[in-house]
Amino acid sequence: ANLTYTIKNTTIGIYYSGANQGRFSYYYSNDVNGDGIANDLMYIPKNASDIKFVPYSTGSGANATTFSAAQQSDAFEQFINSSKYLKENRGKFSERGGAVLPWFNRVDLGIEQDITGRISHTAKPNTIKFRIDILNFGNLLNNKWGVTQIATNTQPLTYKGVDAVTKQPVYNLFAPNDANGKPQLLNNAFTRSATISDVFQIQIGFRYTFN
């Protein structure tokens, strides 16, 4: 959608676009059903007690970290609650293409100025057209606006086998490294994208027209 307004020699245009950024599925990491292919859709536990985690260690040196079963369970609950799709489908298997990325809004601003003049009183008027475009204008006003959200991880759970006593499947929750290289358990289903389209850009141009 766009809206333009012209007053004298100045034209201001506001351009809005909003869209769903796509669909995706949640899978297990590793082969759960034993068919030799790691593409098994993830079960979304109805209650925290429906899934069993086992402790594990990751990282090395100063960043070596051990996560308990309780820590993984708490973080996975936060992960589920951060997604409307996961919250609304507890007790079910993730559908192929069932999860939806958050809606994205973007506003661009364009300003165009015409300056008309004559080299002499007998000459035809010439025009200089000056234009400035601020792409993703909302991001210029607030760095949280105009930023797409992407799935943090579509395979949050790693299948680790079956408990010897209960015969219940056991899992580890993925723990990516933070900016300092320290492993941190997943606790949010979405994260901010970091491409050039997610920040504001300014374009300046001009055109001289001879008549």
Side-chain angles (χ1 to χ4, degrees):
N2 65 81
L3 176 66
T4 58
Y5 178 75
T6 301
I7 179 171
K8 293 185 178 180
N9 294 325
T10 303
T11 300
I12 300 173
I14 298 176
Y15 310 90
Y16 166 78
S17 60
N20 177 283
Q21 295 301 290
R23 309 181 75 89
F24 64 98
S25 310
Y26 282 105
Y27 299 92
Y28 289 112
S29 178
N30 285 350
D31 182 16
V32 176
N33 63 5
D35 64 356
I37 304 174
N39 67 345
D40 306 312
L41 291 168
M42 186 184 78
Y43 175 73
I44 307 164
K46 186 174 183 179
N47 302 296
S49 58
D50 291 344
I51 181 169
K52 181 177 178 60
F53 291 97
V54 289
Y56 76 105
S57 298
T58 186
S60 60
N63 289 327
T65 306
T66 297
F67 296 110
S68 69
Q71 287 175 314
Q72 294 173 72
S73 179
D74 290 344
F76 190 51
E77 278 296 297
Q78 294 177 49
F79 183 86
I80 291 174
N81 288 325
S82 69
S83 164
K84 180 181 178 182
Y85 174 77
L86 293 177
K87 284 192 300 183
E88 291 181 349
N89 287 277
R90 280 183 174 271
K92 303 177 183 177
F93 280 90
S94 172
E95 305 161 288
R96 296 194 187 278
V100 181
L101 290 171
W103 186 268
F104 171 70
N105 297 295
R106 171 169 165 160
V107 175
D108 298 332
L109 175 68
I111 302 175
E112 192 171 82
Q113 176 70 49
D114 290 345
I115 302 174
T116 303
R118 299 173 186 269
I119 298 175
S120 67
H121 70 279
T122 59
K124 293 182 178 180
N126 296 327
T127 302
I128 296 176
K129 188 182 293 290
F130 176 82
R131 183 176 180 88
I132 180 170
D133 289 289
I134 305 177
L135 308 179
N136 204 352
F137 177 65
N139 187 256
L140 175 64
L141 304 179
N142 188 317
N143 63 11
K144 295 181 180 180
W145 295 349
V147 180
T148 55
Q149 298 286 311
I150 59 176
T152 307
N153 191 296
T154 59
Q155 294 178 295
L157 299 177
T158 300
Y159 174 64
K160 302 301 291 185
V162 177
D163 183 271
V165 177
T166 65
K167 305 304 181 182
Q168 181 181 357
V170 293
Y171 303 91
N172 285 155
L173 179 64
F174 183 61
N177 293 338
D178 64 14
N180 297 316
K182 184 78 170 178
Q184 300 288 336
L185 289 170
L186 281 179
N187 59 12
N188 198 318
F190 301 104
T191 187
R192 288 162 56 110
S193 178
T195 69
I196 193 169
S197 298
D198 298 301
V199 295
F200 71 88
Q201 302 171 67
I202 299 177
Q203 296 180 169
I204 297 175
F206 70 93
R207 182 175 66 188
Y208 188 85
T209 304
F210 297 93
N211 292 310

